[in-house]
Amino acid sequence: MNLTELGAFVRSRRDRVQPPDVGLVAGPRRRVPGLRRDEVAMLAGASTDYYIEIERGGAQPSEQMLAALARALRLTGDERDHLYHLAGRPLPPAGGSAAHLHPAMFDLLERLAGTPAFVCTDLHVMLVQNHLADALFGPVVPTTGPEASFVHQWFTGDPKVRGLYPQDDHEHHSRTLVADLRAAAARRSRRDQEVARLIGGLEQRSDEFARLWAERNVAVRRTDRKRIRHPSLGVLHVNCLNLLSEDGRQRLLWFTPVSGTDTGEKLELLAVLGTQDLRSEV
């Protein structure tokens, strides 16, 4: 662990990133070559005072904060690993919620400002989502272990997850998730503990999962059509599109309105409403 060098390294990466690179307006008066400290803090979800302590070498960031800093500063994989080594933290699993998000995929996500979009792992662990996805699905709740996977949440009956989709569509989504998970498990090493814990736990906890898993259907999810329930706007009809990374470990999903429905107008309204719930308003 070398917190002094950590602070110097973070500061050098901050100087390298330009405001437009992360969706910020540069403005006419800037006294720093790259991002300001408060801008990095905002992008990483930290207070400015805490971020300043990191640069001064006076704080040892958590693994979650290191992952957030790596994304905010657009670090490469090697730079991300170096950051963890300097902080004295173990490298996160390749597929976990703190997995390194490739800068190019992050940049593409931020360019999809007009449509809900997010990046998740091959085990359906959420890494990051944009503001419209926050408004449509709800903010991401940081979770670790198998519980972080959408597949785990789906088959263990999380009402917030199941409630996103009409009951008539549940069987379709269950089959799609299991077939996609089997493809992901095959791509990984047989000794991969993350996927083994996820599958083993679900076989014990969910009869539905165990039944579908035993059928051995396999299909990588690349595109789908969904009905999504929103508490204020009702049902939205969307096309779900997928872009997979080269190794298949991460995917970018974005949602476009189905032609001939009113979902386009609803998404425009969603951009204005954000995460407001209008059901109790007069």
Side-chain angles (χ1 to χ4, degrees):
M1 179 174 62
N2 188 338
L3 298 183
T4 300
E5 178 59 25
L6 171 68
F9 179 67
V10 169
R11 185 165 57 253
S12 72
R13 301 305 90 179
R14 173 170 64 84
D15 292 342
R16 183 186 63 178
V17 181
Q18 299 302 309
D21 296 338
V22 293
L24 299 176
V25 178
R29 298 180 181 179
R30 296 188 70 85
R31 299 180 180 179
V32 294
L35 297 178
R36 298 193 302 262
R37 292 185 178 91
D38 63 306
E39 291 171 334
V40 177
M42 177 193 67
L43 292 170
S47 69
T48 302
D49 289 342
Y50 180 70
Y51 177 75
I52 290 174
E53 281 302 304
I54 293 176
E55 284 203 357
R56 288 175 176 172
Q60 183 186 20
S62 66
E63 294 173 39
Q64 291 79 10
M65 179 52 60
L66 291 171
L69 287 173
R71 294 168 188 169
L73 296 171
R74 301 302 196 267
L75 300 188
T76 66
D78 291 337
E79 290 172 333
R80 190 286 308 258
D81 292 352
H82 185 59
L83 190 70
Y84 275 76
H85 292 319
L86 291 176
R89 302 291 189 186
L91 294 180
S97 58
H100 179 61
L101 180 61
H102 194 286
M105 188 167 282
F106 198 5
D107 289 340
L108 182 56
L109 171 70
E110 294 192 328
R111 294 178 186 276
L112 295 172
T115 186
F118 61 80
V119 178
C120 66
T121 73
D122 57 340
L123 301 186
H124 299 267
V125 175
M126 183 69 67
L127 297 179
V128 62
Q129 63 183 22
N130 65 12
H131 294 301
L132 263 181
D134 274 343
L136 182 57
F137 300 109
V140 177
V141 178
T143 312
T144 59
E147 293 79 8
S149 169
F150 180 88
V151 182
H152 183 279
Q153 296 163 10
W154 178 267
F155 284 104
T156 54
D158 186 329
K160 292 182 180 179
V161 171
R162 290 265 177 169
L164 285 170
Y165 306 98
Q167 180 70 38
D168 292 346
D169 298 347
H170 285 190
E171 176 69 14
H172 166 73
H173 292 312
S174 294
R175 289 187 173 277
T176 299
L177 287 169
V178 171
D180 185 80
L181 178 61
R182 184 170 286 279
R187 286 194 302 267
R188 293 190 175 212
S189 166
R190 294 179 61 183
R191 296 184 296 274
D192 189 296
Q193 292 301 306
E194 185 184 17
V195 71
R197 288 197 304 271
L198 176 60
I199 295 171
L202 286 175
E203 284 183 307
Q204 293 181 1
R205 296 188 60 177
S206 171
D207 292 339
E208 180 189 20
F209 177 86
R211 171 177 59 83
L212 294 175
W213 187 255
E215 293 180 3
R216 287 181 166 77
N217 292 324
V218 58
V220 177
R221 186 175 70 173
R222 295 183 174 88
T223 184
D224 200 356
R225 181 167 290 186
K226 296 184 175 184
R227 296 186 297 165
I228 299 175
R229 298 170 58 191
H230 186 271
S232 299
L233 301 178
V235 176
L236 286 77
H237 299 257
V238 297
N239 299 305
C240 176
L241 306 163
N242 291 245
L243 175 65
L244 276 68
S245 61
E246 292 184 359
D247 61 2
R249 286 294 189 100
Q250 294 182 11
R251 63 181 64 185
L252 170 66
L253 283 82
W254 70 101
F255 302 85
T256 62
V258 173
S259 299
T261 71
D262 61 354
T263 297
E265 291 80 1
K266 288 183 177 180
L267 287 177
E268 292 178 0
L269 182 56
L270 188 66
V272 177
L273 296 179
T275 56
Q276 298 180 61
D277 187 346
L278 302 184
R279 289 174 298 176
S280 60
E281 295 188 9
V282 178

